[in-house]
């Protein structure tokens, strides 16, 4: 049973190109499956989340992160009576527009674009992927996703100014996205905050002492675990404490969002869309714990000297390749040379680089800019 404020697939604004219904999958289920079968989705497997393969082959990459976010999202959406199919599709597509090399790659690509008065935005890039770059069907370009999935791709994590983005006018920029999309920003962060602590600990870049000192909510749970399992190995105590933090955040997101819906008198999807602010949220207490974890990760992991070398390499590779193709457009693959006839060269080079896996961009660097840094 869906809540009254959930998106109902029967009321979808539909696809750009109408298609006959499927005998046993609804339109959001089909969109979810189209994302899973997309080339850009498979490439997430070789895109850095935080750690490259240098550290370990069991750390998260963007694909496994995405699957974890989908798992959390299904749970939260189900508990809130939301449309789980739509939420799952949005979770699976949420990182599709990310370039190689995680945040460092994204920053370098954006900087390169800004030199040409342009910019790179991973949500807008994801929209271009599903609208244009994916070519699977004879009848149309792109994946022909429903309006609600395309809207969620751009609006799940931020608002876009309608005056600055006239090209996005159809996506109701003055309105809030449905809760199915609002959730993603939170489930994404629950996923990566706990996963980055886990991978950071496994990589020996973070110690248990450091984490328990820096993150009070973790410390509280760890003390309980130490009482219950005094002789358990440290890693398992760590796991139990992380699991408790994870559950606390998921539980709080569900309860706090429910309370906000009730307090705001939300009766229908239209109320969600027209509400002044987004309704999915943590409680103030958990929100401050979330910030603590995030700050801790920035201070102790993301900017850690151990990762600095890799980040510098990532920035150099993206920056040098970008300027190489700007100066030598004839070295671009034929398809991109043709595109450069219709769109600005920086945009075409940016699209090409953004689609690459870590492995492929290093190969390209090797080929065009000399040996890739070790
Ligand atoms: Mg993500």
């Amino acid at each position: 049973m869906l809540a009254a404020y959930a998106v109902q697939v029967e009321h979808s604004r539909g696809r750009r190109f109408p298609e006959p219904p499927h005998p046993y999958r609804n339109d959001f289920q089909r969109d979810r499956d189209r994302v899973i079968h997309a080339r850009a989705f498979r490439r997430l497997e070789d895109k850095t989340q935080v750690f490259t393969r240098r550290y370990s082959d069991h750390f998260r990459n963007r694909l496994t992160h995405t699957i974890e976010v989908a798992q959390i999202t299904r749970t939260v959406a189900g508990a809130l009576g939301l449309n789980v199919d739509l939420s799952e599709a949005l979770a699976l597509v949420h990182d599709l527009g990310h370039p190689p090399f995680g945040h460092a790659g994204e920053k370098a690509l954006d900087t390169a674009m800004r030199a040409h008065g342009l910019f790179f935005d991973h949500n807008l890039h994801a929209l271009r992927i599903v609208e244009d770059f994916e070519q699977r069907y004879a009848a149309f370009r792109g994946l022909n996703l429903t309006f609600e999935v395309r809207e969620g791709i751009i609006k799940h994590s931020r608002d876009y100014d309608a005056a600055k983005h006239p090209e996005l006018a159809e996506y109701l920029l003055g309105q809030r996205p449905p809760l199915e999309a609002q959730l993603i920003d939170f489930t994404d962060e629950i996923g990566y905050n706990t996963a980055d602590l886990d991978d950071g600990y496994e990589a020996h870049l973070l110690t248990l002492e450091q984490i328990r000192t820096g993150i009070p909510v973790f410390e509280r749970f760890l003390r309980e675990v130490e009482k219950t399992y005094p002789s358990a190995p440290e890693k398992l105590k760590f796991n139990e404490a992380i699991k408790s933090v994870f559950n606390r955040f998921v539980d709080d997101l569900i309860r706090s969002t429910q309370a906000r819906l009730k307090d705001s008198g939300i009766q229908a999807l239209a109320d969600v869309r027209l509400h002044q602010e987004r309704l999915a949220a943590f409680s103030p207490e958990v929100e401050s714990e979330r910030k603590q974890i995030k700050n801790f990760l920035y201070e102790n992991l993301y900017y850690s000297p151990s990762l600095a070398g890799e980040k510098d390499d990532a920035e150099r590779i993206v920056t040098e390749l970008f300027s190489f193709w700007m100066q030598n457009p004839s070295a671009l693959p034929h398809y991109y040379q043709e595109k450069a006839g219709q769109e600005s060269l920086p945009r075409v080079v940016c699209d090409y680089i953004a689609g690459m896996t870590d492995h492929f961009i290093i190969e390209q660097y090797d080929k065009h800019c000399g040996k890739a840094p070790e």
Side-chain angles (χ1 to χ4, degrees):
M1 264 300 282
L2 289 187
Y5 43 74
V7 176
Q8 293 184 38
V9 70
E10 299 79 17
H11 298 159
S12 166
R13 291 173 194 235
R15 308 182 184 283
R16 285 203 193 285
F17 307 96
E19 294 180 48
H22 191 274
Y24 40 82
R25 286 179 303 158
N26 70 44
D27 279 346
F28 294 151
Q29 291 171 337
R30 289 174 88 183
D31 282 5
R32 172 200 63 201
D33 298 346
R34 284 176 190 199
V35 169
I36 290 174
H37 289 273
R39 289 204 315 182
F41 185 77
R42 294 196 290 280
R43 287 200 302 262
L44 294 175
E45 190 253 344
D46 187 23
K47 292 198 183 211
T48 295
Q49 176 71 14
V50 173
F51 294 98
T52 60
R53 286 263 156 84
R54 180 160 78 84
Y55 281 89
S56 161
D57 55 9
H58 60 252
F59 286 180
R60 277 85 174 173
N61 56 49
R62 266 201 202 277
L63 180 63
T64 61
H65 158 73
T66 293
I67 293 168
E68 291 181 359
V69 174
Q71 178 272 314
I72 305 166
T73 302
R74 279 194 308 269
T75 301
V76 176
L80 287 169
L82 298 173
N83 191 311
V84 176
D85 299 327
L86 174 59
S87 262
E88 186 180 17
L90 290 174
L92 290 169
V93 81
H94 90 279
D95 268 354
L96 207 68
H98 274 281
F101 298 140
H103 188 68
E106 183 171 8
K107 202 174 120 214
L109 200 51
D110 184 55
T111 306
M113 287 294 274
R114 286 187 190 270
H116 300 275
L118 300 163
F119 64 93
F120 176 78
D121 174 294
H122 65 89
N123 290 338
L124 299 181
H125 188 71
L127 188 64
R128 290 159 67 78
I129 292 173
V130 302
E131 285 272 78
D132 187 20
F133 304 158
E134 286 290 326
Q135 295 184 47
R136 298 181 54 79
Y137 305 101
F140 42 76
R141 291 184 73 88
L143 302 179
N144 197 28
L145 301 177
T146 55
F147 172 86
E148 290 74 14
V149 174
R150 285 179 282 128
E151 180 197 21
I153 287 174
I154 50 169
K155 287 163 71 176
H156 70 271
S157 59
R158 53 165 289 199
D159 298 315
Y160 289 84
D161 184 345
K164 283 190 193 146
H165 293 278
E167 79 283 6
L168 301 176
E170 68 179 299
Y171 295 112
L172 317 169
L173 295 184
Q175 297 184 13
R176 266 16 84 224
L179 287 160
E180 284 82 351
Q182 294 186 27
L183 281 188
I184 306 297
D185 201 27
F186 296 87
T187 53
D188 183 24
E189 194 164 340
I190 293 171
Y192 69 69
N193 278 343
T194 51
D196 292 349
L197 286 173
D198 187 26
D199 287 348
Y201 173 77
E202 286 257 321
H204 303 292
L205 296 180
L206 301 172
T207 65
L208 190 67
E209 274 315 299
Q210 212 182 348
I211 299 172
R212 73 189 304 170
T213 314
I215 305 176
V217 61
F218 177 88
E219 165 69 0
R220 282 206 312 274
F221 286 121
L222 186 64
R223 281 186 187 202
E224 282 175 31
V225 174
E226 283 172 336
K227 267 188 229 149
T228 320
Y229 305 106
S231 55
E234 184 185 285
K235 171 59 182 166
L236 296 185
K237 288 180 185 162
F238 171 88
N239 284 356
E240 291 290 335
I242 283 285
K243 186 188 82 179
S244 299
V245 173
F246 186 104
N247 284 336
R248 173 173 169 84
F249 277 49
V250 170
D251 192 55
D252 183 82
L253 177 60
I254 294 164
R255 283 165 196 266
S256 162
T257 302
Q258 256 162 355
R260 287 163 63 87
L261 290 165
K262 192 161 170 267
D263 294 348
S264 307
I266 300 299
Q267 304 282 349
L269 176 58
D271 301 335
V272 174
R273 285 190 169 283
L274 298 174
H275 198 68
Q276 277 295 324
E277 48 186 25
R278 292 174 182 239
L279 288 149
F282 291 123
S283 65
E285 194 185 345
V286 167
E287 174 60 20
S288 84
E289 292 168 1
R290 177 196 71 81
K291 282 190 191 136
Q292 270 170 355
I293 298 183
K294 200 172 177 110
N295 292 340
F296 175 87
L297 285 167
Y298 269 96
E299 282 163 25
N300 298 283
L301 186 66
Y302 303 148
Y303 291 136
S304 101
S306 322
L307 295 181
E310 250 163 24
K311 274 205 252 174
D312 292 346
D313 290 348
E315 279 184 35
R316 185 170 58 250
I317 290 171
V318 170
T319 308
E320 286 185 24
L321 270 176
F322 191 96
S323 66
F324 170 78
W325 278 309
M326 285 303 296
Q327 285 154 26
N328 305 280
S330 62
L332 285 166
H334 190 66
Y335 169 79
Y336 288 92
Q337 290 188 39
E338 271 184 2
K339 284 205 115 184
Q342 303 138 28
E343 285 182 276
S344 79
L345 184 59
R347 178 59 65 194
V348 171
V349 171
C350 176
D351 285 344
Y352 185 38
I353 291 177
M356 292 178 185
T357 60
D358 291 10
H359 176 84
F360 186 76
I361 195 171
I362 290 172
E363 223 175 66
Q364 292 297 304
Y365 184 84
D366 220 355
K367 186 169 155 194
H368 298 298
C369 308
K371 187 89 187 87
E374 288 299 319

